[in-house]
Amino acid sequence: MQRKYIFITGGVVSSLGKGLTLASIAMLLEKKGFSIAMLKLDPYLNVDPGTMNPFEHGEVYVTDDGVETDLDLGHYYRYTTSPLSRASTATSGQIYDTVIKRERRGDYLGKTVQVIPHITDEIKNRIVHCGDVGVAEIVLVEIGGTIGDIESLPFLEAIRQFRYERPQDCLNIHMTYVPYLKAAGEVKTKPTQHSVQTLRSIGILPDLILCRSEVNLSSEIKEKISLFCNVPRESVFDEVDVNTSIYEVPLMLRKQGVDDAICKRLSLPTHPVDLSVWEDLLDKILHPKGTITVGIVGKYLDHKDAYKSVFEALHHGAIAAGYKLQIRAIESDKIPSQDELAGCDGYLVPGGFGERGWEGKLEAAHYCREKKIPYFGICLGMQVMVVEFARNVLGLPSANSTEMELATRDPIISLLNEQEEIEEKGGTMRLGAYPCLLREGSRAHAAYGTKSISERHRHRYEFNNKYKALAEEKGLLLSGIYEEGNLCEIAEVKDHPWMVGVQFHPEFKSRPTDPHPLFREFVQAMVEKKHG
Ligand code: GLN
């Protein structure tokens, strides 16, 4: 089959959920039997979002091959089986970097290097490369940002050319916002008309328009959009705000036949799709047995996307247990009192960097250990758990991570070069997938049901093996080891219902249809705590 390409652009406002929508469409196409690959193109100039503040940009998602990417790749993972790697993401920063390096090497043989064709060619190469790497029949490409942004112009020009070169194999989806004006008592299509006009002025004709809206759009409204935007009536769809869960989106799109419309336009067979797994999932979401409350102790809690994958993975665990999950944000900036902490069925300390909020997180771990309340520590959250244990159980009151206190007497968490005096390793981030061997009889082993696992990392500091013997003797089970590097990946408090810390990020590998074992077990422990 000739490979097909689907592009999604956004208009009117940002945050329309393009990534989630494209992932839903990709899932429907996968269910029709096509192999897919997904690519996120980000117009910003950062080479990757690794250095961007989570307050501003939300979570950094990490792939197996250790690339720090945009959080939309998390949606791609949760909805599809699309292979995710370095080939699934590109920013303007990377693209310019590649072209400029080539220019410095003299590869352009003295030619003037320009946005068109050099930058646009590089963008087109990356689109094809993503399909090649993923061996995909259909490549789905999300263009970040909103139509009208100066930064996105080279990307739009590239996809215009791409389609010009393969008119039969490309499809453009434009996602817009159709606001409901209370005062007027009706929805307004003008912003959509304007954003499609802007698209057309740069030579892109949308094939499909997806309208985000608070209310279902009437037939007349869809006709109006069709006429003014030059798109057939049967290619105008609405995507109404979901009631309970983002996992409704694929079902909503299927109901309107978005998948069939896409296949028809691309001359693909419109095989039926079996969504029973997703329907069951939604049924479980809509009919929970009860509610459990998890406290998240962190410092980026004001930004709703800063811990995106952690929140999603918690929901997956709760759906599996048949419960509705309530998340309580506990700011760790100032040390929370016992009263401020009390009231949750379990606590999770997610990843993080820097000293701010550190002592507050230690307090939360202390509270959970003493009161025997389920605790799940992820990355920094494991380091918190270990330091608390060292201070209060190992009898090392000044134990700390050297990230927080360089000159600590007991650096139980520290950089590898501080531990072994190897110069070059210090300060480099451990990124991407590493194998891990689990100790039989541990909670981790019980959760995974297997001895060897692979999980993704994004951190610099490590458990200091100098304290291993003492920690184990006093009841901290080091239950997961990266053997080759002799690094501790999982720690568990033995005399406790469920207190587990992991040096990796399990949240990146959880799906609603296949919850991550540790999140599933953590939620189960919370349910047991609540109901005895
Ligand atoms: N700051 C810690 C480290 O670098 C933890 C990082 C994280 O939680 N992702 O090791």
Side-chain angles (χ1 to χ4, degrees):
M1 174 183 137
Q2 182 77 10
R3 186 182 292 150
K4 306 288 182 183
Y5 296 89
I6 298 174
F7 300 100
I8 193 164
T9 51
V12 183
V13 289
S14 60
S15 305
L16 287 175
K18 281 195 307 272
L20 199 139
T21 302
L22 195 66
S24 300
I25 290 171
M27 184 272 259
L28 294 174
L29 294 171
E30 263 197 316
K31 293 268 178 201
K32 282 181 184 292
F34 300 110
S35 58
I36 58 129
M38 304 191 73
L39 170 62
K40 174 81 194 272
L41 295 174
D42 272 308
Y44 51 72
L45 285 172
N46 304 60
V47 170
D48 64 46
T51 51
M52 285 160 99
N53 186 341
F55 276 122
E56 202 173 303
H57 193 69
E59 162 189 282
V60 175
Y61 186 83
V62 180
T63 57
D64 274 343
D65 59 347
V67 188
E68 298 178 278
T69 73
D70 189 82
L71 56 79
D72 276 307
L73 270 77
H75 292 308
Y76 305 169
Y77 184 90
R78 290 185 278 275
Y79 285 79
T80 74
T81 63
S82 158
L84 295 177
S85 70
R86 187 171 297 279
S88 321
T89 163
T91 66
S92 287
Q94 276 165 32
I95 286 161
Y96 277 87
D97 189 48
T98 308
V99 171
I100 289 168
K101 283 203 175 107
R102 225 178 260 152
E103 187 273 333
R104 292 288 82 188
R105 277 202 312 264
D107 291 3
Y108 294 109
L109 304 174
K111 282 211 155 55
T112 309
V113 180
Q114 292 175 301
V115 171
I116 306 169
H118 301 102
I119 295 294
T120 45
D121 279 353
E122 180 58 24
I123 297 171
K124 290 193 285 180
N125 288 343
R126 299 225 179 193
I127 297 170
V128 173
H129 179 66
C130 173
D132 290 346
V133 169
V135 203
E137 291 168 318
I138 306 178
V139 180
L140 298 101
V141 185
E142 175 185 354
I143 322 286
T146 311
I147 295 305
D149 298 348
I150 290 176
E151 297 89 16
S152 32
L153 281 174
F155 290 98
L156 298 170
E157 169 59 14
I159 68 169
R160 183 197 67 74
Q161 293 177 14
F162 203 89
R163 180 179 186 147
Y164 176 73
E165 290 155 0
R166 313 164 177 71
Q168 304 308 321
D169 300 326
C170 293
L171 176 127
N172 289 318
I173 301 175
H174 188 54
M175 196 159 175
T176 72
Y177 177 53
V178 180
Y180 175 78
L181 280 200
K182 245 200 204 135
E186 58 183 16
V187 295
K188 291 292 179 190
T189 65
K190 193 67 79 192
T192 298
Q193 294 175 37
H194 281 303
S195 102
V196 172
Q197 251 170 39
T198 311
L199 253 188
R200 282 163 55 194
S201 73
I202 40 186
I204 296 176
L205 304 177
D207 299 288
L208 232 80
I209 296 186
L210 268 179
C211 307
R212 269 296 298 273
S213 168
E214 290 102 278
V215 294
N216 279 106
L217 301 185
S218 67
S219 214
E220 288 84 17
I221 292 292
K222 285 184 183 165
E223 250 152 50
K224 192 168 165 188
I225 293 172
S226 154
L227 187 66
F228 284 112
C229 300
N230 209 31
V231 168
R233 161 68 186 83
E234 61 277 12
S235 299
V236 181
F237 299 94
D238 52 25
E239 195 179 315
V240 183
D241 298 349
V242 290
N243 290 325
T244 36
S245 164
I246 53 167
Y247 300 119
E248 287 174 45
V249 173
L251 297 169
M252 186 193 283
L253 298 177
R254 166 80 277 281
K255 219 163 125 193
Q256 298 181 68
V258 173
D259 51 338
D260 287 341
I262 289 172
C263 288
K264 223 168 106 191
R265 166 67 188 73
L266 288 172
S267 313
L268 294 171
T270 56
H271 301 302
V273 297
D274 177 8
L275 288 183
S276 48
V277 175
W278 286 79
E279 280 155 7
D280 291 349
L281 187 85
L282 218 66
D283 191 59
K284 272 191 156 170
I285 297 173
L286 292 174
H287 305 103
K289 285 186 264 189
T291 304
I292 43 156
T293 307
V294 63
I296 310 265
V297 190
K299 64 174 181 182
Y300 307 116
L301 290 155
D302 282 342
H303 191 298
K304 76 175 189 9
D305 284 339
Y307 303 117
K308 184 90 197 157
S309 294
V310 171
F311 287 12
E312 287 308 311
L314 280 167
H315 281 293
H316 304 160
I319 299 167
Y323 278 77
K324 185 176 154 67
L325 183 85
Q326 215 153 40
I327 292 176
R328 210 178 96 199
I330 302 168
E331 271 301 334
S332 57
D333 267 5
K334 68 171 197 24
I335 300 177
S337 68
Q338 299 240 337
D339 283 348
E340 283 163 329
L341 276 170
C344 299
D345 303 308
Y347 295 81
L348 186 149
V349 177
F353 293 83
E355 201 209 320
R356 197 159 61 74
W358 173 247
E359 295 293 330
K361 293 172 191 175
L362 283 166
E363 186 58 31
H366 183 66
Y367 176 83
C368 288
R369 191 175 52 75
E370 294 229 299
K371 302 243 184 290
K372 300 220 184 299
I373 301 169
Y375 173 96
F376 192 8
I378 293 179
C379 209
L380 187 81
M382 164 183 149
Q383 300 172 355
V384 165
M385 186 184 113
V386 167
V387 169
E388 191 282 327
F389 195 85
R391 286 188 188 177
N392 299 307
V393 183
L394 303 187
L396 307 170
S398 56
N400 216 336
S401 158
T402 53
E403 182 180 2
M404 315 304 158
E405 187 190 353
L406 193 55
T408 172
R409 261 182 48 200
D410 283 300
I412 194 165
I413 302 289
S414 51
L415 294 175
L416 277 186
N417 68 335
E418 292 166 352
Q419 293 175 22
E420 297 166 13
E421 278 156 24
I422 4 173
E423 213 31 65
E424 75 277 19
K425 266 197 181 171
T428 23
M429 186 89 93
R430 183 145 74 104
L431 279 169
Y434 283 80
C436 169
L437 205 68
L438 303 180
R439 192 115 131 214
E440 252 167 283
S442 64
R443 287 190 199 293
H445 183 243
Y448 284 92
T450 172
K451 270 188 78 173
S452 30
I453 58 162
S454 165
E455 293 283 3
R456 301 181 194 161
H457 292 250
R458 181 174 181 254
H459 59 99
R460 291 192 178 87
Y461 294 81
E462 306 280 356
F463 177 82
N464 187 344
N465 281 326
K466 211 175 93 189
Y467 297 88
K468 187 172 172 175
L470 177 66
E472 294 230 278
E473 183 197 317
K474 300 271 184 178
L476 191 70
L477 181 69
L478 306 179
S479 59
I481 302 292
Y482 165 47
E483 278 193 311
E484 205 188 308
N486 189 26
L487 297 172
C488 167
E489 309 282 47
I490 311 178
E492 311 180 1
V493 176
K494 272 197 215 152
D495 180 26
H496 190 284
W498 210 90
M499 188 155 192
V500 177
V502 294
Q503 191 56 80
F504 47 78
H505 288 274
E507 71 272 24
F508 294 147
K509 288 174 70 173
S510 185
R511 293 189 165 103
T513 49
D514 184 18
H516 190 284
L518 290 174
F519 281 92
R520 199 191 57 220
E521 291 304 302
F522 172 53
V523 171
Q524 198 52 45
M526 286 196 281
V527 171
E528 274 158 33
K529 148 98 192 10
K530 182 165 183 174
H531 297 294

